[in-house]
Amino acid sequence: AEIAQADVANEEAVARLFSVAESFVGDRGLNVIFNNAGIYPLGTIDDITVEQWDEVFAVNARGAFLTTRGALPLLRRASEGRRIINIGSVIPGLGVPGILHYSAAKAAVVGFTHSLSRELAGDEVTVNCLIPSQVATETVLTNFPGAEEPIIAEQSVKRYQQPTDLVGALVFLASDASEFMTGQTLVVDGGRLLL
C-alpha cells in the first residue's frame, strides 16, 4: 500500500498524487479510481457567498474531474478491470433546502458520470455513481449532531447508514461482476430516495 495526500480541487496537487501512484503501480496500471472527496457546508440562496459556492464545486465536482483525468493514463495502462466509481448524494433527488451548493455540485457529479461513461466506452473503462443516504462518518457525526432521527424517519430501513453498508456495492462496482454496467447511478440509501 502507498498513501499520498492531495487537495483534489488543486490541479498541481492531483498531479503530484498520481506521480506517487504511478511509481507504485508501474506498468500494471490502475484498475479502480474511487472519487469520494466531498464537503457539505450548510447554506441557502440568501447567504451562500460566491466563494463558498465555488469552494463546494471545487471539491465535489472539480475534484472528481481532476482525479479522474489524472488517473486516466494509469487506468488505460491496466490490462483489465478499468473502473471509475463516483459518490453522489440523495440530496439533489430529495430537494433538501439549506444545502443548495452541495446539491448542485452532487447533481453535477451524476451528469459527469453519465457523459464520461460514453466518452470512455472505447477505452473499456466503466463509470458509475453510487448514491448513499447520510452516512455516519466522523465528519457527519461531528458537523451534524442529532441529524440521525429525521433522516432515519425518511428511510425504509430504520437505522443510520454506516460506512460498511456501502462495501458490497463498492466491491461489486469495482469487480468484474459489474463489467456490463456503466453510466448508471446505483442508490444504496436504505430506501430514502425512491426512483
Side-chain angles (χ1 to χ4, degrees):
E2 182 72 46
I3 296 173
Q5 186 174 350
D7 174 356
V8 297
N10 182 286
E11 190 171 8
E12 292 78 23
V14 172
R16 287 190 302 274
L17 167 71
F18 284 105
S19 176
V20 172
E22 182 168 23
S23 67
F24 181 71
V25 301
D27 292 337
R28 292 172 298 157
L30 187 65
N31 297 98
V32 179
I33 179 80
F34 175 42
N35 290 311
N36 186 40
I39 57 172
Y40 32 87
L42 299 177
T44 67
I45 190 70
D46 292 316
D47 58 34
I48 296 171
T49 65
V50 170
E51 292 76 20
Q52 290 167 330
W53 180 273
D54 289 347
E55 179 186 20
V56 169
F57 264 83
V59 174
N60 293 299
R62 185 196 313 152
F65 163 70
L66 289 175
T67 54
T68 298
R69 190 175 66 179
L72 271 176
L74 300 178
L75 283 167
R76 288 175 171 141
R77 192 180 297 171
S79 61
E80 60 185 358
R82 302 176 195 102
R83 310 276 181 260
I84 298 170
I85 305 167
N86 298 317
I87 287 288
S89 172
V90 294
I91 299 300
L94 293 172
V96 176
I99 197 161
L100 185 64
H101 41 358
Y102 176 76
S103 181
K106 284 301 189 177
V109 170
V110 172
F112 174 69
T113 299
H114 294 167
S115 294
L116 190 63
S117 70
R118 300 266 191 200
E119 193 166 316
L120 297 181
D123 292 310
E124 298 178 1
V125 176
T126 64
V127 187
N128 292 291
C129 186
L130 181 63
I131 294 188
S133 184
Q134 184 163 300
V135 181
T137 63
E138 184 178 329
T139 303
V140 166
L141 295 173
T142 301
N143 293 343
F144 302 101
E148 301 95 320
E149 194 173 310
I151 288 168
I152 292 169
E154 291 179 344
Q155 296 174 178
S156 297
V157 177
K158 298 300 182 190
R159 64 176 177 78
Y160 208 36
Q161 187 168 26
Q162 301 299 305
T164 53
D165 292 324
L166 298 172
V167 172
L170 288 168
V171 169
F172 167 70
L173 291 174
S175 75
D176 289 342
S178 69
E179 69 180 348
F180 199 67
M181 181 178 174
T182 193
Q184 301 303 310
T185 302
L186 181 61
V187 181
V188 181
D189 70 346
R192 188 173 176 203
L193 176 66
L194 302 175
L195 300 177

